[in-house]
Amino acid sequence: MTAEIAAPLKIALSKGRIFRDTLPLLRQAGVEPLDDPDTSRKLILATSHPLVKFVLIRATDVPTYVQWGAADLGVAGKDVLMEHGGEGLYEPLDLKIARCRMMVAGRPEADISARRLRIATKYVNSARAFFANRGQQVEVIKLYGSMELAPLVGLSEVIVDLVESGNTLRANGLVPLEHMHDISARLVINKASWKMKHASILALVGALREAVGDD
Ligand code: PRT
Ligand code: MG
């Protein structure tokens, strides 16, 4: 089904699993990129629809581009959205792709209820909110990647990270200690674009909703 899009739309996507898993949904909505992002170095991709462009952005930057209206729509993981806070965004659709779990993990002997537990993570806001909700005082240490290393070298007792198969934890002698959130990618929309380009965005959201199989 081709969505009836009559206004120019920029859609923010990140390379990697978000792009790969969103593509079949967009294709079902009648929108396909004209270049392959894996071989092209372009950051703005034309599509089969003359009014629709894909903007390729680092995953954590997608909500920021959409919030400021530099892209009308975007696809971002719930983990990224929780850290961003969701200001200026509507989140109308769970795309049910790029699924994983946000978890507290550590060495098998780690005591998650320990006083002044040290947590290394790139998900600082999610970690703070989760432990505040438990009424537990913790120290959160901000990292930008490779969280699994932190408990191995004594930077922290536990980490907060995304877990899919569990292979990364296992390979480093770590175990999941507590499930925090189920994560999947969400469609986000700039609030002003939603008003200004309502019919076009509604058509695209409707087509994507159908592609996801969510009614
Ligand atoms: O890698 P980069 O820093 O460029 O950006 P990014 O890591 O944010 O992008 P990307 O493409 O890796 O992830 C985009 C989104 O995919 C995330 O925001 C999540 O919402 C979602 N997603 C789904 C995942 C995973 N599954 C996942 N397994 N993101 C990351 N991982 C990593 C995880 O952090 C850990 O290092 O994979 C590892 C765990 O996987 P298992 O299978 O070993 O458990
Ligand atoms: Mg990654």
Side-chain angles (χ1 to χ4, degrees), residues 16-31:
R17 72 190 93 208
I18 297 270
F19 192 86
R20 193 187 62 228
D21 296 354
T22 307
L23 218 54
L25 301 174
L26 284 165
R27 186 175 299 128
Q28 281 187 68
V31 183

Side-chain angles (χ1 to χ4, degrees), residues 85-152:
E87 200 192 326
L89 305 175
Y90 291 124
E91 192 192 307
L93 187 59
D94 183 347
L95 296 172
K96 300 182 179 169
I97 56 168
R99 293 168 99 149
C100 57
R101 288 152 291 154
M102 187 180 285
M103 303 195 87
V104 184
R107 305 178 83 130
E109 65 274 16
D111 174 12
I112 186 183
S113 301
R115 289 187 61 236
R116 314 222 51 198
L117 183 73
R118 273 180 309 166
I119 304 160
T121 187
K122 67 176 179 184
Y123 302 106
V124 167
N125 295 339
S126 299
R128 286 220 175 88
F130 180 77
F131 284 94
N133 195 43
R134 285 164 55 107
Q136 190 178 344
Q137 267 205 31
V138 295
E139 272 185 85
V140 178
I141 301 167
K142 168 78 182 180
L143 290 180
Y144 292 87
S146 299
M147 272 84 87
E148 302 81 15
L149 181 61
L152 304 180

Side-chain angles (χ1 to χ4, degrees), residues 44-209:
I44 302 178
L45 301 183
T47 73
S48 53
H49 194 298
L51 290 175
V52 180
K53 290 193 165 45
F54 294 162
V55 191
L56 299 179
I57 299 170
R58 185 82 191 261
T60 42
D61 290 333
V62 165
T64 306
Y65 274 77
V66 178
Q67 169 189 6
W68 290 94
D72 302 289
L73 308 93
V75 177
K78 186 66 184 172
D79 51 315
V80 168
L81 291 170
M82 288 191 298
E83 286 303 303
H84 171 269
E87 200 192 326
L89 305 175
Y90 291 124
E91 192 192 307
L93 187 59
D94 183 347
L95 296 172
K96 300 182 179 169
I97 56 168
R99 293 168 99 149
C100 57
R101 288 152 291 154
M102 187 180 285
M103 303 195 87
V104 184
R107 305 178 83 130
E109 65 274 16
D111 174 12
I112 186 183
S113 301
R115 289 187 61 236
R116 314 222 51 198
L117 183 73
R118 273 180 309 166
I119 304 160
T121 187
K122 67 176 179 184
Y123 302 106
V124 167
N125 295 339
S126 299
R128 286 220 175 88
F130 180 77
F131 284 94
N133 195 43
R134 285 164 55 107
Q136 190 178 344
Q137 267 205 31
V138 295
E139 272 185 85
V140 178
I141 301 167
K142 168 78 182 180
L143 290 180
Y144 292 87
S146 299
M147 272 84 87
E148 302 81 15
L149 181 61
L152 304 180
V153 295
L155 177 63
S156 68
E157 286 85 44
V158 299
I159 61 173
V160 163
D161 197 4
L162 304 179
V163 180
E164 194 178 0
S165 64
N167 289 339
T168 306
L169 291 182
R170 254 190 309 280
N172 292 290
L174 304 178
V175 294
L177 297 168
E178 187 122 353
H179 176 277
M180 295 169 60
H181 306 284
D182 287 323
I183 302 292
S184 57
R186 311 299 166 95
L187 185 69
V188 290
I189 300 177
N190 173 270
K191 285 188 174 172
S193 297
W194 177 246
K195 288 204 191 80
M196 305 285 293
K197 306 180 179 179
H198 194 72
S200 294
I201 292 180
L202 200 62
L204 183 58
V205 173
L208 286 172
R209 190 182 302 278

